[in-house]
């Protein structure tokens, strides 16, 4: 019938790690509807999930119904053109959401400023 569901053969989910975010429900809904469409119409749709920071990639692959042996591709840190650095910084404000966000923004600003000054 020419609908988008008939024409779509590929779904790319960039930043797939956002499944754990408050907006993750939207991604889950799209994937669930796509799986239902595939089952009811017997059409094939390829799903590509992309993320630079996804430690639980096998769990996400299971959710996306990926065959781990044929369709799961993991590229570790050695494939990155620029090394990814991770740091954990504690934020002490726990009760007031706005103060906590301000504290996180202040910490982030100081780290970025320091990095820029060092070159």
């Amino acid at each position: 019938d020419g609908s988008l569901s008939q024409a779509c053969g590929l779904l790319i989910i960039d930043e797939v790690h956002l499944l754990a975010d408050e907006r993750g429900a939207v991604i889950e809904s799209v994937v669930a509807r796509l799986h239902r469409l595939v089952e009811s119409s017997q059409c094939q749709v390829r799903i590509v999930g992309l993320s630079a920071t996804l430690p639980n990639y096998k769990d996400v692959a299971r959710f996306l119904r990926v065959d781990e042996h044929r369709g799961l591709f993991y590229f570790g840190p050695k494939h990155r053109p620029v090394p990814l650095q991770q740091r954990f910084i504690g934020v002490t404000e726990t009760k007031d959401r706005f103060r906590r966000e301000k504290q996180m923004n202040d910490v982030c600003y100081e780290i970025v400023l320091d990095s820029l000054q060092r070159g």
Side-chain angles (χ1 to χ4, degrees):
D1 66 356
S3 69
L4 179 60
S5 63
Q6 295 288 329
C8 179
L10 172 66
L11 171 65
I12 300 174
I13 306 170
D14 193 12
E15 308 294 345
V16 74
H17 60 269
L18 292 178
L19 275 165
D21 191 68
E22 62 189 32
R23 298 166 292 174
V26 174
I27 298 172
E28 287 183 35
S29 177
V30 168
V31 170
R33 287 177 184 219
L34 184 62
H35 285 313
R36 192 170 346 120
L37 171 72
V38 167
E39 290 168 358
S40 66
S41 68
Q42 295 299 306
C43 66
Q44 292 297 313
V45 177
R46 180 172 293 184
I47 300 176
V48 176
L50 305 170
S51 176
T53 56
L54 189 63
N56 62 333
Y57 65 95
K58 288 186 178 182
D59 295 333
V60 173
R62 275 191 290 280
F63 168 71
L64 297 175
R65 299 184 187 171
V66 172
D67 179 336
E68 269 191 50
H69 304 291
R70 285 184 348 134
L72 177 60
F73 300 94
Y74 170 75
F75 302 97
K78 66 181 179 182
H79 290 89
R80 295 185 62 82
V82 176
L84 179 66
Q85 293 181 341
Q86 292 182 335
R87 286 199 274 179
F88 294 94
I89 300 167
V91 175
T92 55
E93 180 61 51
T94 59
K95 294 185 179 20
D96 185 333
R97 182 180 132 214
F98 297 106
R99 287 176 51 187
R100 182 177 59 247
E101 295 223 2
K102 182 183 180 326
Q103 190 177 18
M104 288 190 292
N105 287 338
D106 290 346
V107 169
C108 182
Y109 175 80
E110 292 299 324
I111 291 170
V112 170
L113 182 62
D114 179 59
S115 178
L116 289 171
Q117 289 172 341
R118 286 185 289 121

